[in-house]
Amino acid sequence: MLSLLVVVMVAAAPEENPFRARVESLRALKNTGKSAEAKASGEKLLQDLTTAARAKNHTGETLLLLGRTQLYLEDDAAAALSLDEAITLSPLDADAHFYRGVAAQHLDALEAAVRHFRKATELAPKQGRGWAELGSSLAELGQKDRALEALRQAIALDPKDAYSRSIAGRVLIDSGKGPEGITLLEEALKLEPRDMLAAYNAGLYFQLAGQPKRAVPHFEAVALADPDDWHARAKLVQLHQALGDVPARDRRRAEVLALFKAKKVEAEHPDFCREQFALGGTNVLVFESFELTGERAVRYSFRVATQPGNKLQRVISLGSYEFTTSYMRGSGELKADERAWHLDGYFPDNSHQTYGIFTAEPSYEKTRAMVVDVLEGRLKPASSMTPRKK
């Protein structure tokens, strides 16, 4: 009896790319904040991958790994070129489209990012990260409904996805759906307490909702996480002012000013917002200058806008102008080391009012009280000027 010889053909496992583990190691170093170690490791890996990509038998995966390495080394333009080549060789590679979308995000090419992330979700519909980044890019483009659709898909695929909840929460708040949005932001923070963007947005929501006490812990978390974040500290100045906690307000204000002196404040910011309040149908934003400089130096600027509409109605400022100071020194009203201070109102039609002139700088509390008196009609202008109509 003849027996049949059955030969089982076992397909060979795909060959492991020798660079894959090194790229994942580089990604881990970047995620853990080991910048110096990542840079050294990444530069050697980049050299090796560049050599491999020039070989005649290079694969789409080699180009994909090269592009990822360039992304981790923050060379986004080079990464985009490498990933385009990877897609040419492997057009159905979801990872290549995903990382090409990331490169496009970094280059502010959001329409291109959307195209690649959408392709990644078509090729790998069960991978939540593609949906998450698609939603993020759509949100940046202002396409809120489509963004929420993609982000909800990401959350459905991964119930522990804090990132998608954070973005969706912000989109919902921007869409006027605050209660639903803050719920998602708070869920995101429970899943990922280090998500400082979610913390900042949650704090901002509670501040604008008139709940400063609930806003404070969120901005405290941001300030604790980043000792150089002057924006969060300025928010805490505003919130402690609203809560009447003057010592906490002054402590945070001192930190803001210290960061300015340490050159940690961007050059385009000559001042910071130290208070926001509503009064008599108006919104008032108060800005304090970092430095008292120039011929027409201003310490505080109270910007009064209509409610609703937020149309600028007038600006009331406490300033110290050189020409006034020089005149009063010459007349003997001021000593050589003293300055003149005055509270003035400026209007959109270029008219001007002066409410008082002082030989010593008024405190913030006194200045604020005078501004409130002006807005409520108790303090009348001592002088005024209206430009002639031509």
Side-chain angles (χ1 to χ4, degrees):
M1 182 178 178
L2 296 174
S3 61
L4 295 175
L5 179 63
V6 179
V7 179
V8 178
M9 301 297 292
V10 180
E15 184 179 351
E16 177 76 15
N17 190 298
F19 298 108
R20 195 179 302 156
R22 291 173 64 187
V23 173
E24 291 301 329
S25 176
L26 175 61
R27 180 183 65 82
L29 288 172
K30 288 286 290 185
N31 287 344
T32 52
K34 298 178 180 178
S35 301
E37 194 175 342
K39 187 172 186 294
S41 172
E43 287 177 351
K44 179 64 171 69
L45 176 57
L46 180 62
Q47 290 177 359
D48 295 343
L49 275 166
T50 300
T51 300
R54 289 175 183 149
K56 289 184 179 180
N57 61 342
H58 71 267
T59 63
E61 185 180 12
T62 297
L63 290 164
L64 166 60
L65 295 172
L66 174 60
R68 287 181 60 188
T69 299
Q70 290 162 329
L71 279 176
Y72 300 145
L73 293 175
E74 300 179 11
D75 190 350
D76 302 315
L81 293 174
S82 298
L83 292 163
D84 281 338
E85 290 187 55
I87 290 169
T88 299
L89 284 177
S90 305
L92 301 182
D93 187 334
D95 284 349
H97 284 284
F98 175 82
Y99 286 106
R100 181 62 180 87
V102 172
Q105 278 182 332
H106 292 180
L107 294 167
D108 291 325
L110 293 175
E111 295 283 0
V114 166
R115 288 196 303 272
H116 286 288
F117 288 135
R118 197 174 295 283
K119 187 64 177 180
T121 62
E122 291 172 4
L123 295 168
K126 299 299 183 183
Q127 287 187 3
R129 66 180 186 178
W131 292 105
E133 295 301 345
L134 174 60
S136 175
S137 295
L138 288 167
E140 290 298 316
L141 286 169
Q143 299 181 30
K144 296 176 182 177
D145 290 342
R146 291 181 178 180
L148 288 170
E149 183 180 348
L151 293 165
R152 285 173 174 142
Q153 181 65 26
I155 294 168
L157 289 167
D158 181 4
K160 295 183 178 180
D161 181 356
Y163 175 73
S164 295
R165 281 177 168 80
S166 177
I167 300 170
R170 174 173 56 83
V171 173
L172 285 165
I173 290 171
D174 290 345
S175 301
K177 300 176 181 178
E180 186 180 353
I182 193 61
T183 297
L184 281 177
L185 287 179
E186 290 181 324
E187 287 177 3
L189 287 166
K190 286 180 181 178
L191 291 165
E192 181 46 83
R194 296 170 298 178
D195 185 345
M196 292 301 100
L197 183 59
Y200 195 97
N201 285 328
L204 187 60
Y205 170 80
F206 285 121
Q207 181 187 22
L208 295 176
Q211 301 180 57
K213 192 172 182 179
R214 294 188 69 180
V216 165
H218 293 295
F219 286 115
E220 291 280 7
V222 178
L224 181 64
D226 186 353
D228 292 340
D229 192 329
W230 71 271
H231 296 279
R233 286 165 172 78
K235 283 293 181 185
L236 288 165
V237 173
Q238 299 165 31
L239 294 167
H240 289 308
Q241 172 77 41
L243 291 167
D245 190 343
V246 173
R249 178 203 71 183
D250 290 348
R251 186 176 67 253
R252 289 301 188 180
R253 174 182 172 273
E255 292 175 359
V256 174
L257 296 177
L259 287 171
F260 173 78
K261 289 181 180 178
K263 301 188 184 304
K264 298 297 178 69
V265 175
E266 300 86 349
E268 64 268 24
H269 292 281
D271 51 26
F272 68 98
C273 183
R274 63 168 292 160
E275 185 178 5
Q276 300 184 45
F277 64 95
L279 182 69
T282 62
N283 290 321
V284 183
L285 268 67
V286 189
F287 290 81
E288 178 177 348
S289 300
F290 283 115
E291 292 182 303
L292 197 67
T293 58
E295 294 290 319
R296 299 171 66 86
V298 169
R299 178 73 79 197
Y300 306 120
S301 174
F302 293 73
R303 303 174 192 179
V304 185
T306 59
Q307 187 188 79
N310 213 35
K311 182 179 179 181
L312 185 66
Q313 188 182 76
R314 66 173 119 173
V315 176
I316 302 175
S317 65
L318 178 72
S320 180
Y321 298 169
E322 287 298 328
F323 67 87
T324 310
T325 297
S326 296
Y327 175 81
M328 292 181 70
R329 284 174 181 166
S331 67
E333 297 173 79
L334 288 175
K335 296 178 182 178
D337 60 348
E338 292 179 331
R339 296 189 64 88
W341 295 85
H342 32 90
L343 190 69
D344 300 284
Y346 298 91
F347 296 80
D349 65 356
N350 292 322
S351 60
H352 163 262
Q353 295 176 339
T354 297
Y355 307 105
I357 298 178
F358 320 98
T359 57
E361 180 178 1
S363 67
Y364 178 71
E365 279 71 23
K366 184 174 180 179
T367 304
R368 185 185 190 279
M370 288 190 291
V371 170
V372 170
D373 284 345
V374 169
L375 294 177
E376 293 186 338
R378 291 186 294 273
L379 180 58
K380 304 296 183 181
S383 64
S384 63
M385 184 278 291
T386 302
R388 291 182 180 180
K389 294 183 180 180
K390 295 180 180 180

